[in-house]
Amino acid sequence: MDRYKIDGHKLNYHVIRVTEWLKDNLIYPIYMEISPSGACNHRCIFCAQDFMGYQKRYLETSVLKERLKEMGRLGLKSAMFAGEGEPFLHKDITDIILHTKQAGIDVAITTNGVLMTRSISEKILDSVEWIKVSCNAGSPETYSKIHRTKSTHFGIVIHNLEEAVNCKEKYGYECVIGVQILLLPENAGEVANLIRISRDIGVNYLVVKPYSQHPKSHTDFYENIRYKEYEDLVESFQEYNTDTFSVIVRLKTMKKWDKQAKPYNRCNAHFFWSHLDAGGNIWGCSNYLGDEVLSYGNIYEKSFKDIWIGEKRRKAIEWFESSFDITQCRVNCRMDEINRYLWELKHPPQHVNFI
């Protein structure tokens, strides 16, 4: 039961912005991924952004808050704090979250959950649309091996999740609390246990998702993984669904491993989203972090408006149009479904008037 459309996209709910794009008018992004911290307290064996080096750099609070206020005015609808490090390692993350909501921007967080204490949940849950905790095992021992951290962190994460749920229920907050697990050979036999734990403590959903190999990642343990052999297993997870708890298996995304050809030949999703790294750089694609060709500018040097309408982004758009090779895209890129949607809008089938 994918009531949140996690295995799809929601761009079709932004008709006005899409219409302006179809007219080739200037549009500002709807969604941004933000890395408040470059550092991380885990070293997961599947980490897609290990090539960023886990640098101990943190977005400067005052500048970020100023830019968030500006981006809210320009039409940014949502921001997810996640990225190259653990967002809760930023000393001002609570204040940043509250400020983001006050700027008119919906807030989401992806975290490993170790630092998401009860006191933090009480402060932020009323300002957050959803929190997704990455917990990639169903036992302390396997958790330790996959996250490459202390086995005790597994219990801490489950406790913090339970406290967040209790806080949500106590104050009547509407924040959706979820868990996600990356399906790997090491944890395949433990997914059901994590589902039961998550359901029993009262989270809203658990996502079972496939691995995605980043071209720059130092990690390549799973680059040849295929998910066809797991289809019967993931189908069995549906029995855990209830009226208040959903198991969301990203089966559509898993099947793309075996059918990697894309029905589009260029990326158009970059018009609708962007990535802000922990050094203040705005990027057009997280697949090309570190490549100047898709670096739009830095928030310490320019306003977001000047970055978005600036020369570097104009050249990046030209590169997308003329030189971008779609075959080099990351398998299971999060923007794939959006690109399929946009491509079909510009390349409709015959007889579309027969609705």
Side-chain angles (χ1 to χ4, degrees):
M1 294 189 294
D2 189 5
R3 68 187 70 177
Y4 307 107
K5 297 195 73 173
I6 291 174
D7 203 24
H9 75 92
K10 295 179 277 287
L11 187 58
N12 53 303
Y13 297 106
H14 298 274
V15 177
I16 294 175
R17 200 81 58 104
V18 173
T19 300
E20 291 302 306
W21 170 76
L22 287 168
K23 294 177 180 178
D24 293 324
N25 292 334
L26 171 69
I27 60 168
Y28 287 95
I30 295 170
Y31 164 68
M32 178 175 283
E33 293 180 1
I34 300 175
S35 297
S37 165
C40 191
N41 52 349
H42 286 181
R43 292 292 184 272
C44 300
I45 59 175
F46 57 80
C47 181
Q49 294 198 347
D50 55 4
F51 68 94
M52 296 294 285
Y54 308 109
Q55 302 172 62
K56 291 185 178 180
R57 58 180 186 172
Y58 306 91
L59 285 171
E60 186 178 319
T61 303
S62 60
V63 176
L64 177 59
K65 290 169 74 172
E66 183 179 343
R67 296 292 178 260
L68 285 166
K69 196 171 182 180
E70 177 197 8
M71 288 188 285
R73 292 196 301 267
L74 292 172
L76 187 71
K77 299 289 188 183
S78 64
M80 181 181 72
F81 293 107
E84 68 208 70
E86 167 53 46
F88 284 113
L89 281 171
H90 195 294
K91 64 182 179 63
D92 296 325
I93 190 62
T94 298
D95 186 33
I96 291 168
I97 289 168
L98 300 181
H99 176 84
T100 305
K101 185 63 177 177
Q102 291 165 4
I105 301 169
D106 288 344
V107 182
I109 306 165
T110 297
T111 171
N112 60 41
V114 174
L115 302 175
M116 195 180 72
T117 61
R118 169 80 186 214
S119 61
I120 287 177
S121 291
E122 288 186 338
K123 293 173 184 175
I124 68 170
L125 285 188
D126 194 33
S127 298
V128 175
E129 297 296 313
W130 55 263
I131 294 175
K132 192 183 296 177
V133 173
S134 180
C135 182
N136 296 284
S139 72
E141 295 75 22
T142 305
Y143 183 91
S144 176
K145 292 175 183 177
I146 291 178
H147 284 253
R148 290 197 286 203
T149 188
K150 299 175 182 178
S151 60
T152 53
H153 280 191
F154 180 78
I156 292 171
V157 170
I158 300 304
H159 173 74
N160 287 345
L161 275 165
E162 191 167 18
E163 287 291 278
V165 171
N166 291 339
C167 177
K168 172 185 172 179
E169 293 175 350
K170 178 179 178 180
Y171 297 105
Y173 296 150
E174 296 184 0
C175 176
V176 173
I177 301 174
V179 176
Q180 70 177 17
I181 181 170
L182 198 67
L183 183 59
L184 302 171
E186 292 88 342
N187 64 20
E190 298 185 0
V191 176
N193 192 47
L194 184 63
I195 291 173
R196 286 189 291 266
I197 292 171
S198 302
R199 180 194 61 189
D200 293 347
I201 64 176
V203 304
N204 297 103
Y205 67 85
L206 181 140
V207 178
V208 182
K209 60 182 290 189
Y211 174 74
S212 179
Q213 179 69 45
H214 195 294
K216 290 190 172 186
S217 178
H218 302 316
T219 301
D220 58 6
F221 300 136
Y222 307 107
E223 64 178 347
N224 295 316
I225 194 171
R226 292 295 180 267
Y227 283 98
K228 189 170 182 58
E229 64 184 280
Y230 296 110
E231 287 185 13
D232 290 340
L233 175 66
V234 297
E235 286 293 334
S236 71
F237 298 151
Q238 303 302 325
E239 67 182 78
Y240 296 100
N241 286 321
T242 70
D243 291 340
T244 57
F245 175 76
S246 299
V247 179
I248 302 169
V249 179
R250 295 190 62 187
L251 194 57
K252 181 195 299 183
T253 309
M254 289 180 185
K255 289 180 178 179
K256 290 175 185 176
W257 272 102
D258 299 315
K259 188 180 179 181
Q260 297 181 15
K262 297 176 174 62
Y264 51 91
N265 63 22
R266 76 178 47 156
C267 177
N268 288 306
H270 64 89
F271 289 102
F272 297 91
W273 87 289
S274 192
H275 182 100
L276 171 59
D277 72 20
N281 303 295
I282 298 286
W283 300 92
C285 176
S286 60
N287 210 41
Y288 288 84
L289 294 178
D291 287 0
E292 281 301 307
V293 68
L294 287 183
S295 172
Y296 295 168
N298 191 289
I299 62 169
Y300 298 136
E301 300 169 358
K302 294 182 178 180
S303 69
F304 184 74
K305 180 178 180 180
D306 286 343
I307 291 171
W308 199 254
I309 66 174
E311 181 69 10
K312 291 186 74 174
R313 180 169 176 266
R314 186 190 65 77
K315 289 182 177 179
I317 293 173
E318 290 178 356
W319 180 83
F320 268 120
E321 296 292 318
S322 63
S323 304
F324 183 66
D325 182 0
I326 204 73
T327 65
Q328 299 304 307
C329 281
R330 184 176 176 181
V331 177
N332 288 333
C333 170
R334 195 68 184 89
M335 295 295 127
D336 178 65
E337 289 296 320
I338 288 175
N339 273 316
R340 291 170 186 262
Y341 169 69
L342 294 174
W343 185 260
E344 188 170 349
L345 286 179
K346 283 203 169 183
H347 302 84
Q350 290 179 297
H351 313 146
V352 293
N353 292 333
F354 294 86
I355 60 173

